[in-house]
Amino acid sequence: MPYALKSSGVGLGLLLLVLISVITDYSVNLIIIGGALSNTMTYQEMVRVAYGKPGYILITVMQAVYPFIAMVSYNVIIGDTLTKIIGRVGGDQVANTVLSDRNFTVFLATVAILIPLSLYKNIAKLTKTSLLSTGIICLILVSITIRAPVYAAQVVPSEYQWTFANSRIPQAIGIMAFAFMCQHNTYLCFHSLQRRSLERWALVVHLAVGFAMLASSLFGLIGFASFATGVQGDILENYCPRDDLINVSRLLFAVTIMLTYPMECFVVREVVENYFFQHPPPLWRHILLTTGIVALAYLVSMTTSCVSIVLEINGVLTAAPLAYILPPLCVMRLQNEPFFRMPNLPMLATAAFGIVVAVSGLIVVAMELAEGVRCSEGSEMPYCWGNSTRLARAYG
């Protein structure tokens, strides 16, 4: 979120954050309404009823690609985070050994934690881990708030750092769309409710999106205030490796990412099962498919260490269509009434917003890739090299 505010400008970024939160809340509820209209139990089936086989193939590809790329980005973050913790704890004893290797660290996390958690069949089993993840987010927010004055003092002020709007708006929207993207597992969560109803679901969505908007705003503002235009796609990459308070946050963040990872794997697995098999899997296929998805995500994540471009691509390529374009188009189609009428105005506006985000974002990301991706994630920041008295006191 700090990187998104850097891209769009702080003022405009906060407005975009509110806008995307409202649209996300609206579109998530639209998906459940579409399910009721089509008498279906999955996002894929809803699109199939609305737009036939072509729509079904499109939603299947997108609904598999989005969570899969999310799994890849989580692996990148796990690698960047855990290697710093291992280096701090092990010191010279682990330097230049396999334990300091990012690829090996992610491999260990994959085998020991990610695969076992992803093998669960029911998303409701992750209720307690999701609650734990929410608590961890609050603890990390406290830690970066404590460190904000210390690191802000190391940043060279710029007259442009607090500008209201910047030119990289599509990238910022792509990152925010990625962060708020939950439409792909809407039905999994809806069917995990003990007493399902549209009213109870709407309350859950309002609370969840509201908390996400508040937390995202605070992370964005505090992170940007700490590092200004030097902020990285993963804000924890801006902190020095010897800062033990932040190292605790790094460990907690790695834990919450690993607890979130299985929810994305659940969606990829369900999409593949629904498209190719359409019946409950035997145990051997469940284990084989889950392991194969996680292994493929691991291999792809080894090709990049720049999480910001991964978030941008996933946001504009799949999150925008899944979150903003398909839900309103499906509901309008399922109503069996003309699209262009006054009651449909909010849905038309949501779809138009998604189209603009997707098209403009793809153009900008393509230009970035043509110029070459440049990021310093995974590298120690220059202000960590000196002998700053305030940073030294922070390290204890």
Side-chain angles (χ1 to χ4, degrees), residues 86-96:
I86 293 172
R88 178 59 172 162
V89 173
D92 294 337
Q93 285 76 19
V94 300
N96 301 318

Side-chain angles (χ1 to χ4, degrees), residues 10-43:
V10 177
L12 182 59
L14 291 175
L15 292 177
L16 287 172
L17 195 56
V18 173
L19 176 63
I20 288 175
S21 300
V22 172
I23 295 177
T24 298
D25 187 297
Y26 179 64
S27 69
V28 168
N29 282 291
L30 277 181
I31 292 174
I32 299 302
I33 293 172
L37 291 172
S38 58
N39 195 29
T40 55
M41 305 264 302
T42 67
Y43 197 170

Side-chain angles (χ1 to χ4, degrees), residues 52-172:
K53 187 70 172 180
Y56 183 70
I57 294 173
L58 177 65
I59 187 65
T60 297
V61 172
M62 287 188 172
Q63 207 172 359
V65 168
Y66 171 81
F68 181 79
I69 298 180
M71 292 166 65
V72 171
S73 68
Y74 292 164
N75 278 339
V76 173
I77 294 172
I78 290 169
D80 291 341
T81 304
L82 291 184
T83 50
K84 285 183 171 58
I85 296 170
I86 293 172
R88 178 59 172 162
V89 173
D92 294 337
Q93 285 76 19
V94 300
N96 301 318
T97 69
V98 69
L99 291 176
S100 64
D101 182 75
R102 173 176 165 270
N103 295 354
F104 182 73
T105 302
V106 178
F107 175 78
L108 283 182
T110 299
V111 172
I113 300 173
L114 301 182
I115 289 179
L117 286 177
S118 297
L119 284 172
Y120 278 119
K121 291 186 175 182
N122 188 348
I123 201 169
K125 299 284 186 181
L126 299 176
T127 300
K128 293 180 180 178
T129 62
S130 296
L131 181 61
L132 176 62
S133 296
T134 303
I136 289 174
I137 290 296
C138 296
L139 292 176
I140 296 173
L141 187 59
V142 171
S143 69
I144 69 169
T145 303
I146 292 172
R147 285 292 188 256
V150 177
Y151 283 90
Q154 312 304 314
V155 176
V156 178
S158 168
E159 61 179 306
Y160 302 107
Q161 68 187 52
W162 288 101
T163 53
F164 179 83
N166 288 330
S167 59
R168 291 166 53 86
I169 296 172
Q171 294 96 319

Side-chain angles (χ1 to χ4, degrees), residues 4 26 56 103 164 179-180 187 221 241 247 277 281 337 382 386:
Y26 179 64
Y56 183 70
N103 295 354
F164 179 83
F180 278 81
Y187 282 96
L221 284 171
N247 282 331
F277 302 107
E337 295 182 6

Side-chain angles (χ1 to χ4, degrees), residues 26-27 30-31 43 46 51 321-335 339 344 346-352:
Y26 179 64
S27 69
L30 277 181
I31 292 174
Y43 197 170
M46 181 189 74
Y51 290 101
L322 282 173
Y324 311 129
I325 300 175
L326 286 174
L329 290 183
C330 285
V331 172
M332 287 189 290
R333 181 69 172 264
L334 292 168
Q335 289 175 339
F339 275 30
N344 288 346
M347 288 187 280
L348 290 169
T350 301

Side-chain angles (χ1 to χ4, degrees), residues 7 42 67 77 89 96 118 124 141 157 159 236 238 256 261 272 287 307 315 342 369 376:
S7 299
T42 67
I77 294 172
V89 173
N96 301 318
S118 297
L141 187 59
E159 61 179 306
L236 294 179
N238 280 98
T256 193
Y261 184 102
V272 174
I287 294 174
V307 71
M342 284 302 296
L369 293 175
S376 55

